[in-house]
Amino acid sequence: MSTARTALRRAGVVTALAAAGVLTAAGVASAHVTVHPDSYAKGATDGVLTFRVPNEEDTASTTKVQVFLPTDHPVLGVLVSPPQNGWTAKVTNTKLKTPVKTDDGTITDAVSEITWTGGKIGAGQYQDFNVAFGQLPENTDQLTFKTLQTYSDGKTVRWIEEAQSGEDEPENPAPVLKLTAKGAEEGSTPAASAKASNISGSSGGSAGSASASADSSDSTARGLGVAGLGVGVLGLAAAAFALVRNRANRAE
């Protein structure tokens, strides 16, 4: 695939993702900043990462989000979505200590930080921030994206703690993307597209089987929620019908 065609393809993905906005989320009070999907194949190309940021404060809004990308194992060809819901992104590049050789040449610098400002995430809401990439690294098993979340009252939550093997999850864990062996990801592109579509209305990348499983779980939960709502509505309708019939019997 030529460089021009790759750039156009990823630009199209980012444009499609611009429709993602602030969504109301039930039970996000105890949620963490996360990255979706949670796994990709090593060396995956032309994909999308979605950073989901919930507002955990009842009396303040999230007004700034900073995501730090690793530079020891850089993510190449990063693109951000156009301004949406008031949010604009500032991208910071850093000179790499070890240049990366690719089919299109040697890369000497990469994105090290993305800062979103200008928008607002209110209480009981979350925001999806979409980032397209050209290529993920092949020489590591995971990527950690340390994140800072700033609120309107000046409070900053540092999502930077890394989980240790055999220990409980830290209080403020950093979003982690697992990178799996290429063979384990073969044939997973349709699941990846479905995952990205569910999150932000567009497909992107080759997500792993773990993300497909998570998507299935999310879909099941949503289905159960809708079913529960339907049962509730039917119950109210039945109660109303019984009340009307009882009054009619009394009138007779």
Side-chain angles (χ1 to χ4, degrees):
M1 181 180 294
S2 68
T3 303
R5 183 180 298 178
T6 299
L8 286 173
R9 177 180 172 183
R10 288 193 285 113
V13 170
V14 174
T15 301
L17 291 175
V22 176
L23 303 175
T24 301
V28 299
S30 60
H32 305 317
V33 175
T34 52
V35 60
H36 302 272
D38 60 6
S39 70
Y40 258 110
K42 293 181 179 180
T45 59
D46 299 328
V48 176
L49 298 175
T50 297
F51 294 93
R52 178 161 294 179
V53 181
N55 189 87
E56 296 186 311
E57 297 292 323
D58 295 329
T59 59
S61 300
T62 296
T63 56
K64 182 179 181 181
V65 176
Q66 296 167 269
V67 174
F68 297 88
L69 285 68
T71 54
D72 53 345
H73 301 289
V75 178
L76 305 181
V78 169
L79 295 173
V80 296
S81 298
Q84 52 180 308
N85 300 316
W87 293 97
T88 57
K90 177 184 177 182
V91 177
T92 300
N93 288 292
T94 295
K95 194 82 170 179
L96 297 176
K97 292 182 179 181
T98 304
V100 179
K101 294 182 179 181
T102 70
D103 294 338
D104 296 322
T106 300
I107 306 299
T108 59
D109 61 281
V111 174
S112 59
E113 178 185 347
I114 305 174
T115 300
W116 286 275
T117 56
K120 182 175 69 173
I121 308 174
Q125 297 181 330
Y126 69 88
Q127 173 74 48
D128 281 347
F129 297 95
N130 301 295
V131 177
F133 63 82
Q135 183 175 337
L136 295 178
E138 299 180 344
N139 56 349
T140 186
D141 294 328
Q142 66 178 36
L143 296 176
T144 300
F145 300 96
K146 296 183 178 181
T147 303
L148 302 183
Q149 180 179 10
T150 302
Y151 287 89
S152 56
D153 60 3
K155 176 182 177 181
T156 297
V157 179
R158 300 168 62 84
W159 303 100
I160 62 173
E161 299 176 350
E162 299 184 43
Q164 302 299 321
S165 178
E167 297 183 4
D168 294 336
E169 182 182 62
E171 182 177 356
N172 295 314
V176 173
L177 177 71
K178 297 178 181 179
L179 298 181
T180 59
K182 292 182 178 180
E185 299 297 321
E186 291 179 357
S188 63
T189 300
S193 299
K195 175 68 177 178
S197 178
N198 285 336
I199 292 176
S200 51
S202 178
S203 62
S206 301
S209 59
S211 66
S213 177
D215 182 46
S216 176
S217 178
D218 290 344
S219 298
T220 301
R222 286 194 296 269
L224 290 174
V226 172
L229 180 60
V231 170
V233 171
L234 290 175
L236 289 175
F241 177 75
L243 180 60
V244 171
R245 184 175 62 180
N246 186 41
R247 287 180 177 176
N249 291 337
R250 290 183 179 178
E252 293 175 357

